[in-house]
Amino acid sequence: SQTIHQWPATLVQPVGSPLSLECTVEGTSNPNLYWYRQAAGRGLQLLFYSVGIGQISSEVPQNLSASRPQDRQFILSSKKLLLSDSGFYLCAWSVQGMFQPQHFGDGTRLSIL
Amino acid sequence: DAKTTQPTSMDCAEGRAANLPCNHSTISGNEYVYWYRQIHSQGPQYIIHGLKNNETNEMASLIITEDRKSSTLILPHATLRDTAVYYCIVRVGGLGNNAGNMLTFGGGTRLMVKP
């Protein structure tokens, strides 16, 4: 069966520091991968998605970036974190193709001080 | 993409059926309806999805009206562990976009199952 792992589960970072969140998927090949952010008490906002290695599409302008160095690895990064980057970050995967459901990891709760 | 409207919150007695409504009056012909739920501090969990026929799986049933402008998620025997925020989502169907199954999450319905 397929599994998705995100780490770390929680992270506290100072303003201006860099960020690297990692997500890996097991048990499937060539998945679509997604990064979402959920601000406290609000719905999810799609940040990035990827259909293959090295292919990244950005949904919203921000100081975050994403990379997919391997088929089942998705990384969310920032060079300098802002206070507004605080939130709950979720990675998801889906089988390629239209209308396939997405499956989420347990998320990383990021607090910027 | 079509937007959805859900009640902010609902209560349900343990053991009874929970019926969660969703309006999506601007849905287009090739858009599916998806339901997810999120238990506090966890990632969203996929529940069920459908196009126009009613669907049932081990978790829930999805009833879609004939005009497809609304749907209802039914949890047949709610338990305390079903307490969560339930999201109704209409999927963007981008032609030629292999990653067109992006999901736009709104505020959802906070379901409280009470003993």
Side-chain angles (χ1 to χ4, degrees):
Chain A
S1 63
Q2 301 88 1
T3 56
I4 180 168
H5 304 280
Q6 275 188 254
W7 66 93
T10 59
L11 187 61
V12 181
Q13 292 283 96
V15 170
S17 64
L19 173 73
S20 180
L21 301 180
E22 189 162 343
C23 171
T24 59
V25 180
E26 296 177 357
T28 188
S29 296
N30 199 27
N32 286 348
L33 297 173
Y34 310 83
W35 277 111
Y36 287 85
R37 177 171 59 202
Q38 185 175 34
R42 301 179 63 181
L44 274 68
Q45 177 187 39
L46 178 65
L47 302 175
F48 301 94
Y49 67 91
S50 171
V51 299
I53 296 173
Q55 300 179 61
I56 308 296
S57 296
S58 174
E59 285 299 296
V60 293
Q62 61 220 323
N63 70 320
L64 299 172
S65 62
S67 61
R68 184 171 177 173
Q70 300 181 49
D71 181 44
R72 291 169 290 174
Q73 183 185 32
F74 206 23
I75 298 172
L76 183 69
S77 304
S78 174
K79 292 181 180 179
K80 292 179 97 172
L81 286 167
L82 306 173
L83 283 174
S84 58
D85 291 325
S86 291
F88 190 42
Y89 288 83
L90 289 153
C91 181
W93 74 273
S94 72
V95 174
Q96 292 223 5
M98 302 284 277
F99 308 113
Q100 296 295 323
Q102 295 179 19
H103 305 277
F104 289 80
D106 287 332
T108 294
R109 192 161 301 280
L110 175 64
S111 299
I112 309 300
L113 303 178
Chain B
D1 39 316
K3 295 182 179 178
T4 63
T5 305
Q6 298 177 254
T8 304
S9 63
M10 292 181 62
D11 290 345
C12 178
E14 187 179 17
R16 302 295 294 271
N19 297 283
L20 293 95
C22 180
N23 287 322
H24 30 79
S25 58
T26 59
I27 192 171
S28 61
N30 64 346
E31 291 180 314
Y32 279 67
V33 179
Y34 289 78
W35 283 85
Y36 284 76
R37 71 180 182 184
Q38 188 172 23
I39 297 169
H40 184 62
S41 297
Q42 297 181 19
Q45 178 187 22
Y46 164 75
I47 301 173
I48 198 167
H49 73 288
L51 182 63
K52 51 185 175 182
N53 297 322
N54 297 339
E55 301 288 342
T56 296
N57 63 20
E58 65 278 5
M59 290 183 68
S61 295
L62 174 60
I63 308 299
I64 302 174
T65 58
E66 191 170 342
D67 63 7
R68 301 209 325 122
K69 293 185 177 182
S70 66
S71 61
T72 301
L73 179 74
I74 301 173
L75 307 177
H77 305 286
T79 70
L80 298 179
R81 288 180 294 180
D82 291 322
T83 293
V85 178
Y86 287 77
Y87 295 100
C88 168
I89 301 142
V90 175
R91 217 217 76 178
V92 174
L95 293 178
N97 182 354
N98 193 38
N101 55 351
M102 296 171 284
L103 300 175
T104 303
F105 285 68
T109 295
R110 185 172 298 278
L111 175 68
M112 180 72 71
V113 181
K114 298 183 175 181

